[in-house]
Amino acid sequence: MKKLLILGILFSFSSNLFAQPEVKIPFSTAISAHIVKYNQKIDDAYKDKDLERAGFLFDSLVRNHLNGTYMDNFSLNTLKGDPILLRDYEKPMFLITYAAWCVPGIGEIPALNDLADKFHDQLDFVVLFWDTKENLKSKEKEYTQNIQLVYVNEKTNQDSYIINKLKHALGFPMMYFMDQDKKVLDIRKIETHHSSETLTNSYNIHFNSLSKGVSLLIADLDAKGLLEGDENDESDQEGSDKRRGKKSKKSKEELDEEGRTAEERKIDEEYERYKREKDSLKNNRRKNNR
């Protein structure tokens, strides 16, 4: 019996000894490593007027390289009071990046207000404006008090390494969904529609789109058993200097006959599978309708 107990203790010790902690990749590191290549492909798709492929490439970048990374900590300015750090928000975050000169759909802000009023106890709703305090003040009255309006003036903010990535690499308006540790669960573009859309239709379009992000965050909370708001504090993680801002040099041996890297081949193959599956579904619908 004593031998079994000793063996059990040794096994438990060895398991803990070799357990590897999670490697937390900063968002800025991941996007720096992949954004240039993807933007080139997305630009080519837009030139060819292939909007479907452009959208697929954006989703591929987010799904394969950005989801699961951790948003870098940076300073945000508030309309009243001192600046706040991103990590000071303790709940899962529904973050929208915007600018005062952007014109939202007529039903977008009302839909966001309704969701924030309903779920603000579980989530932090934050709208980040790349703008000045003066321009943000004119927008304040449009939002419910359950949405926190903050701004970053790129000319004065000291966290340029992440501000540049958030504002210029992916563009805006953009939605970021992060858990309580600021782990990126998904990134999506704001839904758009024609300016002539009615208020009712615009509201429904945006409510359906925005509520998917809320559902994602609530489902993650539920899966972790944290709907009551338990939080785990995590220390900030520094990215690897070798991966940040350093261009990789590809040798000719790494390229195929079309000049693609292994990762670029993977992206193209994934898109071809996506197209085949979509075409197959279309053909099946046509057969069923005959």
Side-chain angles (χ1 to χ4, degrees):
M1 184 69 180
K2 289 183 179 180
K3 289 183 178 180
L4 289 175
L5 180 60
I6 292 171
L7 287 172
I9 293 173
L10 288 174
F11 178 77
S12 176
F13 176 77
S14 62
S15 298
N16 291 330
L17 183 65
F18 293 103
Q20 297 295 321
E22 178 189 4
V23 178
K24 293 187 175 181
I25 301 173
F27 172 85
S28 60
T29 298
I31 198 167
S32 293
H34 301 285
I35 189 63
V36 173
K37 176 183 60 187
Y38 271 88
N39 274 348
Q40 289 173 346
K41 287 181 169 291
I42 291 172
D43 287 344
D44 290 340
Y46 278 124
K47 288 178 183 177
D48 295 336
K49 298 182 179 180
D50 191 347
L51 301 184
E52 185 176 12
R53 178 169 173 78
F56 173 85
L57 287 167
F58 176 84
D59 292 340
S60 178
L61 169 64
V62 171
R63 182 176 61 253
N64 295 326
H65 301 294
L66 302 183
N67 286 350
T69 63
Y70 286 78
M71 187 60 68
D72 305 66
N73 200 20
F74 62 99
S75 178
L76 303 161
N77 297 307
T78 60
L79 285 174
K80 300 174 182 177
D82 297 328
I84 185 172
L85 293 173
L86 185 76
R87 293 292 174 89
D88 289 337
Y89 291 101
E90 297 180 347
K91 302 173 188 175
M93 180 180 285
F94 189 134
L95 173 68
I96 294 179
T97 58
Y98 239 116
W101 51 263
C102 290
V103 181
I106 190 172
E108 179 182 331
I109 295 178
L112 181 62
N113 285 341
D114 285 350
L115 287 168
D117 287 341
K118 184 175 182 179
F119 293 100
H120 69 275
D121 287 336
Q122 294 85 20
L123 311 175
D124 280 323
F125 289 84
V126 180
V127 179
L128 166 60
F129 283 82
W130 305 116
D131 228 312
T132 63
K133 184 175 183 178
E134 290 70 26
N135 288 337
L136 182 55
K137 282 183 178 179
S138 65
K139 298 291 181 181
E140 184 179 15
K141 61 184 179 181
E142 299 177 22
Y143 292 86
T144 173
Q145 62 181 1
N146 291 317
I147 296 176
Q148 301 174 61
L149 301 185
V150 295
Y151 68 96
V152 168
N153 188 334
E154 194 175 12
K155 295 180 180 179
T156 59
N157 192 282
Q158 300 301 310
D159 303 309
S160 59
Y161 70 99
I162 180 59
I163 299 306
N164 180 272
K165 301 297 183 295
L166 282 172
K167 182 179 179 181
H168 300 292
L170 289 183
F172 58 93
M174 195 71 65
M175 299 184 291
Y176 298 81
F177 309 113
M178 295 171 275
D179 72 6
Q180 69 277 7
D181 297 322
K182 302 305 168 280
K183 180 179 182 179
V184 177
L185 303 180
D186 203 3
I187 302 170
R188 300 174 188 173
K189 295 182 178 181
I190 293 284
E191 194 78 25
T192 59
H193 58 68
H194 196 275
S195 59
S196 63
E197 197 66 73
T198 65
L199 174 58
T200 300
N201 288 343
S202 177
Y203 177 92
N204 290 333
I205 290 170
H206 288 291
F207 187 89
N208 291 335
S209 175
L210 297 170
S211 62
K212 292 176 183 177
V214 172
S215 297
L216 174 66
L217 293 170
I218 294 296
D220 183 68
L221 268 179
D222 190 31
K224 295 173 180 175
L226 295 175
L227 280 178
E228 295 302 318
D230 287 341
E231 305 294 355
N232 294 318
D233 293 330
E234 300 286 349
S235 59
D236 294 343
Q237 300 294 317
E238 295 296 331
S240 168
D241 291 337
K242 292 182 179 179
R243 296 186 62 188
R244 182 183 291 117
K246 187 176 181 180
K247 295 182 180 179
S248 59
K249 295 182 179 180
K250 306 269 190 302
S251 65
K252 291 183 179 180
E253 288 73 22
E254 293 177 304
L255 305 179
D256 64 9
E257 295 178 354
E258 298 178 5
R260 301 176 302 175
T261 63
E263 186 173 357
E264 289 170 332
R265 287 197 300 273
K266 180 181 177 182
I267 294 170
D268 290 339
E269 289 168 0
E270 186 177 313
Y271 182 69
E272 289 303 318
R273 287 195 298 272
Y274 162 80
K275 289 286 289 182
R276 287 197 297 270
E277 291 173 1
K278 185 174 182 180
D279 291 341
S280 177
L281 289 173
K282 285 183 179 178
N283 292 332
N284 288 334
R285 290 196 193 99
R286 288 171 183 169
K287 291 179 181 178
N288 292 332
N289 292 332
R290 289 175 180 173

